[in-house]
């Protein structure tokens, strides 16, 4: 029990700040914590890893440990040492990491030890690993407990902290018990086994575990309410554990930290007189600088607990440095004093003094960040931010911004947003629109980072439209559009409509900004989605050339023009003028002409194919132009792939056939054949695609060319896969139909379909051939395709269309209309514009 003389100055006080540094057990009972505890000299590896961690090179430390641990022949002692060093490196990395990145590191630190215990249960130093496991839980619990002092989710954080601290207490108690057991089992005079702990090493480890157990109990007690039985119980146990350690010789590495921790326990119990007496006794022993500075920090906290702000400020005047050293604990305590003085000035309505103390506190936060690293920076910023948020009288924009950033780095985004909003309001009130924009932009970025896209979009748009002349206003507005785009990906109509509206707003407000090209591009995509081809074309054409968006714009322009041309053809509208306009636009966008003086890149080569297709498919006099453009590209480019060359040769053959130059087209095939069978197969596939949209007369020429190419393939190769054979057989059947040899196509497909009854492509091709040949089996063939296809799929819809067409051709207009109406009821879109048009044409025909 604590002696009665220490009970005299109970008082209510604010929850204390606790030391946090990880105390890590390593081989030979070396622990590093608030002070280094060394029994024997550290190994070279330990010194090397300490250096890496001091420079916060945690990844390198982790890599070093893992590579060494991968060696199979490590002695027990070295494997235990490296396992603990790895766990320690992960733990220290967690302490220094942002909140969202920590949990994985904590879990790895524990898993590293657990895996060692599982894989090497006979290792003679396994007790050290168990103590290390307790130290990880201790560090984790202390951090969560400290963070529970500020911000939201206090109950969840404090509950998690207590859970980790409870586990730390259990592990460290077991460590002490295991040490006692090992000590009992040692036989005097017996030679130690390799890797076995000596009596002095066991004793050192046991004392270190005892000290860390006291720390865990102290932190556990401080997590409970003031004057609660749980608090008093844990802190009293901690004092009892520290008492013998604090009575050691001053050259014992555990003596100084034990005396300091005992004073902290007394303060946390409210026994302030006892706490101050312990500190007086400590200072009389002329402690080293680091201990003296921490003692001064604890004196400050005792004075603050008694509300002696002036006395605490007197201690601050002694300075934050002694013998060339600074202390994170002392600097943090000084920050607490400045904040207490600021609160007192605010309460007394002394505005000038309040401002002065506020500035001192802000400066101390910066000093902490500079001198003590990310962990202490987050603690300092968090404490500062909490006080700012609690005081509505603060109007200093810089201070509010600093508080917002502190909340953000402490993992408290809601509090950060509230502080940013306050700062924005004050900036607007002060006429500092530029600063308001900057702060509002930062707040929007937090919402975006959290994937709160609707809120982020609203914030970005608000800051942009509030100050459209700001240099980054257009960027902010574009970010709003981006966030709405993330919501529009779901396919919902409302965010998509708002997305389009903001794009139009962007182009109206910042038509000349660098962001306008991307806005044009995004708006063009929306127009494509809406099948608004003319507007899509206009937006794609508005994208400036020689920008990073120009290549994508050229590809989009090609798509939009082809869709518009296909619609014109489907509506029996003339296509030549639009086709020529498309070619001119694509040439302007890509720099492609019918002839080229220099080498064309891959994007330009792709455009050449599109232009040639448009000339061939949608104009009556474009075949010669297509041929010239393709030959120029083949001659000028050194980067064309084999696949592109095969496509170009296919189109040249198409162009020659369209000009009536069938013999020249066949010779073109011979040229392709020289490149090998693969090129011929690629050419066949290209001719097959082209034939589907060609005019009837040209289609017959293409079919003849395709059949000639297929014969060449058959003559030149015997080594062909079943899949390739099927593809070529299907192409041949379509070519036979296009050439007017419909019965021959049907007969070949019957044989192929019988051999591959489950191949949907072949069954559909057979049904198509039978329909073209007006064979009586066409209806049954299409019904077979329908039954074997998924309802609503493209193949299923095509089957229903052909069934309706067959009924209609046979004069059964009622059955034809019923078939169409079934599809219309089940699938109102009816498979898209082209299929829908064909379905509705069946309905429109009169019996």
């Amino acid at each position: 029990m604590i002696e009665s003389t220490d009970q005299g100055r109970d008082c209510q006080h604010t929850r204390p700040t606790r030391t946090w540094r990880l105390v890590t057990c390593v081989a030979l009972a070396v622990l590093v914590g608030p002070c280094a505890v060394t029994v024997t000299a550290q190994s070279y590896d330990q010194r090397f890893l300490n250096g890496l961690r001091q420079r916060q090179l945690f990844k390198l430390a982790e890599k070093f440990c893992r590579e060494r641990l991968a060696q199979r022949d490590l002695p027990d002692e070295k494997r235990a040492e490296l396992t603990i060093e790895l766990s320690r490196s992960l733990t220290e990395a967690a302490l220094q990491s942002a909140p969202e990145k920590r949990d994985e590191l904590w879990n790895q630190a524990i898993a590293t030890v657990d895996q060692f215990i599982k894989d090497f249960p006979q290792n003679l130093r396994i007790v050290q690993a168990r103590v290390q496991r307790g130290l990880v839980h201790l560090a984790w619990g202390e951090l969560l407990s400290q963070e529970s002092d500020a911000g939201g989710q206090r109950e969840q954080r404090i509950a998690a902290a207590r859970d980790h601290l409870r586990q730390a207490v259990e592990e460290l108690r077991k460590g002490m018990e295991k040490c006692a057991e090992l000590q009992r089992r040692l036989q005097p005079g017996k030679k130690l086994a390799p890797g076995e702990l000596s009596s002095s090493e066991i004793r050192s480890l046991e004392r270190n575990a005892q000290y860390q157990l006291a720390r865990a109990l102290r932190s556990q007690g401080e997590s409970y309410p003031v004057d609660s039985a749980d608090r008093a119980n844990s802190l009293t146990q901690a004092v009892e554990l520290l008492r013998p350690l604090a009575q050691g010789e001053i050259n014992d590495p555990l003596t100084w930290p034990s005396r300091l921790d005992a004073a902290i326990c007394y303060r946390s119990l409210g026994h302030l007189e006892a706490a101050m007496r312990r500190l007086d006794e400590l200072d009389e022993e002329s402690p080293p600088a680091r201990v003296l500075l921490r003692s001064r920090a604890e004196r400050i906290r005792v004075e603050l607990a008694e509300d002696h702000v002036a006395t605490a400020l007197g201690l601050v005047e002694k300075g934050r440095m002694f013998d060339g050293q600074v202390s994170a604990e002392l600097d943090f305590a000084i920050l607490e004093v400045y904040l207490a003085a600021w609160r007192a000035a605010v309460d007394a309505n002394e505005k000038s003094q309040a401002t002065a103390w506020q500035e001192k506190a802000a400066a101390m936060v910066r000093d902490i960040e500079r001198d003590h690293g990310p962990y202490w920076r987050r603690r300092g910023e968090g404490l500062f931010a909490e006080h700012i948020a609690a005081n509505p009288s603060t109007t200093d924009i810089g201070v509010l911004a600093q508080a917002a950033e502190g909340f953000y780095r402490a993992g408290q985004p809601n509090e950060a947003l509230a502080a940013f909003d306050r700062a924005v309001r004050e900036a607007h009130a002060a006429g500092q629109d530029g600063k308001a924009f900057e702060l509002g932009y930062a707040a929007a970025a937090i919402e975006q980072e959290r994937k709160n896209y609707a809120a982020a979009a609203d914030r970005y748009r608000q800051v942009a439209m509030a100050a459209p002349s700001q240099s980054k206003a257009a960027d902010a507005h574009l970010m709003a559009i981006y966030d709405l785009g993330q919501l529009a990906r779901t396919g919902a109509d409302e965010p998509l409509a708002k997305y389009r509206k903001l794009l139009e707003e962007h182009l109206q407000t910042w038509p000349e900004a660098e962001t306008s090209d991307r806005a044009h591009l995004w708006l063009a995509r929306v127009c494509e989605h809406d099948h608004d081809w003319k507007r899509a074309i206009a937006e794609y054409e508005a994208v400036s050339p020689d920008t990073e968006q120009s290549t994508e714009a050229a590809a989009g322009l090609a798509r939009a023009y082809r869709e518009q041309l296909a619609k014109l053809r489907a509506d029996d509208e003339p296509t030549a003028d639009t086709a020529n306009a498309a070619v001119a636009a694509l040439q302007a966008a890509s720099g492609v002409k019918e002839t080229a003086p220099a080498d064309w890149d891959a994007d330009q080569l792709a455009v050449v194919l599109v232009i040639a297709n448009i000339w061939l498919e949608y104009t009556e006099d474009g075949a010669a132009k297509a041929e010239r453009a393709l030959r120029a590209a083949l001659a000028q480019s050194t980067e064309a792939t084999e696949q592109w060359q095969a496509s170009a040769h296919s189109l040249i053959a198409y162009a020659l056939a369209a000009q009536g130059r069938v013999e020249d087209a066949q010779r073109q095939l011979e040229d392709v054949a020289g490149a090998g069978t693969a090129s011929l197969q690629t050419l066949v596939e290209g001719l097959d695609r082209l034939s589907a949209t060609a005019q009837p007369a040209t289609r017959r020429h293409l079919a003849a060319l395709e059949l000639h190419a297929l014969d060449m393939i058959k003559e030149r190769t015997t080594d062909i896969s079943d899949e390739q054979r099927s593809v070529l057989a299907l192409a041949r059947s379509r070519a036979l139909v296009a050439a007017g040899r419909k019965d021959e196509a049907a007969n070949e497909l019957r044989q192929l379909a019988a051999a591959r009854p489950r191949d949907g492509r072949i069954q559909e091709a057979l049904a198509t051939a039978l329909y073209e040949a007006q064979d009586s089996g066409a209806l049954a063939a299409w019904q077979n395709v329908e039954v074997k296809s998924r309802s609503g799929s493209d193949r299923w819809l095509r089957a229903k269309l052909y069934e309706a067409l067959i009924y209609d051709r046979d004069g059964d207009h009622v059955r034809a209309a019923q078939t169409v109406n079934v599809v219309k009821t089940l699938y109102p879109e009816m498979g898209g514009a082209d299929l829908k048009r064909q379905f509705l044409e069946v309905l429109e025909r009169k019996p």
Side-chain angles (χ1 to χ4, degrees), residues 172 303 503 595 686 698 733 741 822 829:
L172 292 167
E303 298 296 350
L503 283 165
T595 59
T698 304
S733 70
R741 297 156 61 180
V822 166
E829 293 300 317

Side-chain angles (χ1 to χ4, degrees), residues 606-644:
V607 171
V608 171
L609 297 182
V610 174
I611 288 174
N613 267 292
I614 290 174
W615 267 326
L616 290 167
E617 292 182 39
Y618 297 107
T619 69
E620 294 180 359
D621 60 350
K625 296 177 183 177
E627 181 192 354
R628 287 195 300 272
L630 291 163
R631 290 192 187 281
L634 283 166
Q636 294 291 338
S637 177
T638 60
E639 301 296 328
T641 63
E642 183 177 333
Q643 183 178 4
W644 183 91

Side-chain angles (χ1 to χ4, degrees), residues 248-304:
E249 298 294 330
I250 60 173
N251 59 353
D252 184 333
L254 286 177
T255 300
W256 294 119
S258 298
R259 292 178 181 182
L260 277 169
D261 279 20
I264 295 170
C265 287
Y266 284 123
R267 173 173 59 81
S268 297
L269 282 164
H271 305 159
L272 304 182
E273 190 173 284
M276 194 63 81
R277 187 164 54 252
R278 295 298 184 275
L279 293 171
D280 289 339
E281 293 170 356
L282 184 150
D283 289 354
E284 288 173 1
E285 298 283 349
S286 300
R290 56 183 170 76
V291 177
L292 179 66
L293 293 174
R294 290 195 62 219
S295 173
R296 189 176 299 166
E298 188 55 26
R299 284 181 179 276
I300 288 173
R301 293 192 175 109
V302 172
E303 298 296 350
L304 289 178

Side-chain angles (χ1 to χ4, degrees), residues 369-648:
E369 177 180 2
R370 182 193 63 218
D371 294 336
H372 305 299
Y375 168 80
W376 285 100
R377 179 196 66 198
R378 282 194 300 275
R379 284 195 63 188
E381 287 177 335
L383 182 64
F384 180 74
E386 192 68 21
H387 281 75
I388 296 299
N391 192 335
S393 67
T394 300
T395 59
D396 186 288
I397 300 167
V399 168
L400 290 170
Q402 188 176 359
E405 291 166 3
F407 277 129
Y408 171 72
R409 279 194 280 260
Q412 298 170 259
N414 292 332
E415 290 79 2
L417 289 170
F420 271 125
D421 288 342
R422 279 180 64 185
V424 168
R425 289 194 296 270
E426 294 298 335
H428 278 307
Q432 298 183 31
D433 291 341
K435 191 65 177 177
F437 176 90
E438 176 188 327
L439 296 166
Y441 194 101
I446 292 175
E447 291 288 33
Q448 185 183 69
E449 186 180 73
R450 296 200 295 174
K451 293 183 171 51
N452 292 339
Y453 292 120
D458 287 343
R459 284 181 176 273
Y460 276 126
R461 182 183 178 275
Q462 183 178 359
V463 299
M465 298 308 291
S469 61
Q470 288 291 322
S471 60
K472 296 295 184 182
D475 293 328
H477 195 272
L478 196 70
M479 292 302 296
I481 296 169
Y482 168 83
D483 289 325
L484 281 176
Q486 303 310 300
L487 296 174
R489 287 174 181 269
T490 62
D493 291 337
E494 183 178 351
L496 185 60
K498 192 173 181 180
Y499 178 71
R500 179 167 183 163
K501 183 179 179 181
L502 255 65
L503 283 165
E504 291 170 343
E505 180 181 70
H506 190 93
L507 292 169
Q508 290 169 3
T509 310
W510 298 279
E512 305 299 326
E514 290 183 5
T515 54
S516 63
D517 285 319
R518 190 166 295 280
H520 281 302
L521 186 67
W522 291 353
L523 182 54
R525 290 178 190 163
V526 176
C527 294
E528 275 197 84
H529 175 273
D530 294 340
H531 294 178
D532 186 353
W533 308 119
K534 288 186 177 180
R535 179 69 184 276
I537 288 167
E539 295 302 329
Y540 279 129
E541 288 180 334
V543 175
S544 303
D546 302 323
T547 65
E548 61 177 313
Q549 289 82 33
S550 59
T551 299
E552 192 173 349
L557 189 62
R559 288 194 308 272
Y561 263 122
R562 287 186 67 82
E563 291 288 353
Q564 187 185 32
L565 287 164
K567 186 176 185 303
L568 289 171
R569 173 173 287 174
D571 295 340
D572 292 326
E573 296 288 338
T575 59
D577 290 344
T578 303
N580 288 324
V583 169
L586 289 169
Q587 287 176 333
S590 64
V592 169
K593 304 296 181 185
E594 287 187 38
T595 59
D599 197 15
W600 288 346
D601 62 26
D603 295 324
Q604 290 175 315
L605 289 173
V607 171
V608 171
L609 297 182
V610 174
I611 288 174
N613 267 292
I614 290 174
W615 267 326
L616 290 167
E617 292 182 39
Y618 297 107
T619 69
E620 294 180 359
D621 60 350
K625 296 177 183 177
E627 181 192 354
R628 287 195 300 272
L630 291 163
R631 290 192 187 281
L634 283 166
Q636 294 291 338
S637 177
T638 60
E639 301 296 328
T641 63
E642 183 177 333
Q643 183 178 4
W644 183 91
Q645 292 181 52
S647 298

Side-chain angles (χ1 to χ4, degrees), residues 661-826:
R661 298 160 58 189
V662 178
E663 292 182 1
D664 290 340
Q666 290 179 343
R667 281 195 292 273
Q668 181 72 23
L669 292 185
E670 297 291 342
D671 291 341
V672 177
T677 304
S679 296
L680 272 174
Q681 291 178 16
T682 301
L683 187 144
V684 165
E685 293 169 7
L687 290 172
D688 192 38
R689 289 192 300 271
L690 294 170
S691 181
T693 57
Q695 298 297 323
T698 304
R699 188 179 302 148
R700 285 192 295 274
H701 291 311
L702 292 174
L705 290 173
E706 192 174 350
L707 291 169
H708 181 58
L710 286 163
D711 289 340
M712 292 168 67
I713 292 173
K714 186 176 181 181
E715 292 172 2
R716 293 167 184 245
T717 184
T718 56
D719 184 16
I720 188 170
S721 68
D722 289 343
E723 176 62 22
Q724 290 174 315
R725 199 180 304 280
S726 295
V727 170
L728 295 175
L730 288 171
R732 177 177 172 79
S733 70
R734 288 189 286 268
L736 288 170
V737 171
R741 297 156 61 180
K742 299 176 181 177
D743 291 338
E744 186 178 348
N747 289 334
E748 289 190 8
L749 281 167
R750 281 194 182 96
Q751 296 177 22
L752 191 60
R756 303 188 67 173
R758 301 183 68 180
D759 192 319
R761 297 169 303 171
I762 294 172
Q763 301 301 323
E764 184 177 357
L766 172 61
T768 302
L770 293 174
Y771 174 80
E772 293 290 341
Q774 298 191 24
D775 190 286
S776 59
L779 180 61
W782 277 112
Q783 288 172 336
N784 178 52
V785 172
E786 176 199 344
V787 169
K788 293 181 178 179
S789 302
R790 178 174 53 83
S791 179
S793 66
D794 290 346
R795 183 169 288 151
W796 184 89
L797 289 165
R798 287 194 296 272
K800 298 300 289 185
L801 173 63
Y802 274 97
E803 289 173 26
L805 289 171
I806 292 169
Y807 288 134
D808 184 65
R809 187 169 66 186
D810 292 346
D812 192 345
H813 303 295
V814 173
R815 292 282 296 277
Q818 288 174 343
T819 301
V820 174
N821 284 325
V822 166
V823 174
K824 188 176 181 181
T825 300
L826 293 175

Side-chain angles (χ1 to χ4, degrees), residues 348-375:
N349 199 27
E350 296 173 345
K351 295 183 179 180
S352 61
Q353 288 192 29
T355 300
W357 289 121
Q358 179 178 274
E359 290 173 353
K360 281 181 173 291
M364 180 51 66
V365 171
R366 292 191 291 270
D367 288 342
I368 289 172
E369 177 180 2
R370 182 193 63 218
D371 294 336
H372 305 299
Y375 168 80

